[in-house]
Amino acid sequence: MMKDLELYKDRLFMLKQDLGRGLISQDIYDKLAGEFFIALRLNGYEPFKVKSFHERLVDFILFKYPKSIFDNAIFIILSFFIYLFGFLVGSLRPLTLILNMNNTVSNQYSSFVLFIQILMNNLRVQSISFVLSILADVPTVFTIFVNGFILGLVYSYSSYTFLDFWSLILPHGVLELTAMITSFGASLGFGYRFLKSFSQYGSYEALRKAASTALNVVLGGSILLFFAAFIEAYFTPSHHIDSVNKLIFSLIMLMIIIFYLTYSWLKIRRA
């Protein structure tokens, strides 16, 4: 059924392009679009059925969000390598800055206040990156690089051991980095398609679809950032959990993400 729905959307998109170019009349467009709706309803799909919030949430988590990630896979991979490059440059100690890793913000604020601050900061970075992607992707690339650079810089000047350092990064970082890199990648993809739209006639619908796909990734990433901020505020700073158990937790989180994406990919392929 999902293939029928996607086929309908593709054909309707082509019809809109033909209508915009003046190749077909409004009457022909209305007639063909109506026939598509009838065919879908005969196959059990109700195009005008209003889904409940629960149904829409499940549909978003299991289909729209992962599908939007796969649609932007190339740009997400590019985002990952830009972030990795920033991390490597930062780890080379390009500055004469000495960072004291022993005095963290978690010692100054309550866990709840820290949770709110972390969440709002990450959402702000994510949103700004998406909005500025229309400026030839330059601000987005810079944002990705700087985020990786800062992590590399902190790592290079950290007084912690290798194990202890990553036990303070990965428990929340698995979700946070997944959300940020996928959101950055989707922003890159939207920025690229935004620029490309200027050279293609009748590409408004394609641009609208690209914006919708990117927003799905950003919205899904916001959900991940919520849980990442909670973990960073309550779990990561805990002195009652040793480094090994924190890294085991990180591995479990990574396996959950891999399972989720694999399951979603297989579900989308079968649809």
Side-chain angles (χ1 to χ4, degrees):
M1 182 52 58
M2 194 60 65
K3 289 182 179 178
D4 291 335
L5 179 57
E6 290 301 315
L7 181 61
Y8 156 73
K9 289 182 177 179
D10 290 341
R11 289 183 176 178
L12 188 59
F13 170 70
M14 294 172 62
L15 282 175
K16 286 184 178 180
Q17 285 189 319
D18 290 342
L19 180 64
R21 296 189 182 106
L23 299 178
I24 60 174
S25 65
Q26 183 67 49
D27 291 338
I28 294 177
Y29 170 81
D30 293 339
K31 179 182 178 181
L32 292 176
E35 290 177 353
F36 287 153
F37 273 113
I38 293 173
L40 287 172
R41 296 189 67 178
L42 289 175
N43 283 278
Y45 173 69
E46 294 292 338
F48 299 107
K49 181 182 178 181
V50 179
K51 293 183 178 181
S52 65
F53 173 78
H54 175 264
E55 290 175 326
R56 284 181 291 172
L57 180 62
V58 171
D59 181 63
F60 177 80
I61 294 175
L62 296 182
F63 179 73
K64 287 185 178 180
Y65 176 51
K67 186 177 185 302
S68 297
I69 289 178
F70 300 141
D71 288 344
N72 288 278
I74 295 177
F75 298 99
I76 290 172
I77 293 173
L78 177 61
S79 172
F80 169 77
F81 281 109
I82 295 173
Y83 188 94
L84 180 61
F85 177 67
F87 174 82
L88 293 175
V89 172
S91 65
L92 296 177
R93 298 192 177 192
L95 303 177
T96 57
L97 175 67
I98 305 259
L99 299 179
N100 183 3
M101 293 293 294
N102 294 319
N103 297 322
T104 61
V105 69
S106 60
N107 293 325
Q108 303 174 20
Y109 302 101
S110 68
S111 295
F112 179 74
V113 173
L114 181 61
F115 161 70
I116 296 299
Q117 287 183 334
I118 293 169
L119 179 61
M120 296 307 295
N121 177 67
N122 287 335
L123 290 177
R124 182 171 62 252
V125 172
Q126 183 190 50
S127 302
I128 292 175
S129 173
F130 174 73
V131 172
L132 295 181
S133 63
I134 62 175
L135 301 177
D137 269 338
V138 174
T140 304
V141 172
F142 178 76
T143 303
I144 301 170
F145 176 83
V146 168
N147 274 265
F149 177 84
I150 292 174
L151 180 59
L153 191 66
V154 172
Y155 171 71
S156 67
Y157 283 102
S158 171
S159 60
Y160 288 103
T161 64
F162 179 85
L163 192 67
D164 289 339
F165 176 82
W166 289 111
S167 71
L168 293 173
I169 298 296
L170 292 179
H172 62 274
V174 171
L175 291 179
E176 184 177 302
L177 291 177
T178 298
M180 298 300 283
I181 290 176
T182 53
S183 296
F184 287 152
S187 298
L188 284 176
F190 174 66
Y192 168 77
R193 295 177 179 108
F194 180 81
L195 292 175
K196 191 177 179 180
S197 67
F198 288 103
S199 62
Q200 293 183 347
Y201 176 76
S203 60
Y204 170 76
E205 285 299 322
L207 181 62
R208 185 189 62 79
K209 185 177 181 181
S212 176
T213 300
L215 281 173
N216 284 339
V217 178
V218 173
L219 180 58
S222 300
I223 298 174
L224 293 182
L225 289 177
F226 174 86
F227 291 106
F230 183 86
I231 294 171
E232 186 173 1
Y234 289 94
F235 179 82
T236 300
S238 175
H239 298 291
H240 303 292
I241 306 173
D242 60 33
S243 298
V244 173
N245 284 323
K246 287 180 180 179
L247 291 175
I248 291 175
F249 173 83
S250 306
L251 180 61
I252 293 173
M253 297 303 297
L254 178 60
M255 292 175 63
I256 290 175
I257 291 176
I258 293 175
F259 173 79
Y260 164 71
L261 291 176
T262 303
Y263 171 80
S264 300
W265 182 70
L266 293 175
K267 183 180 177 66
I268 291 170
R269 284 194 62 187
R270 289 196 300 265

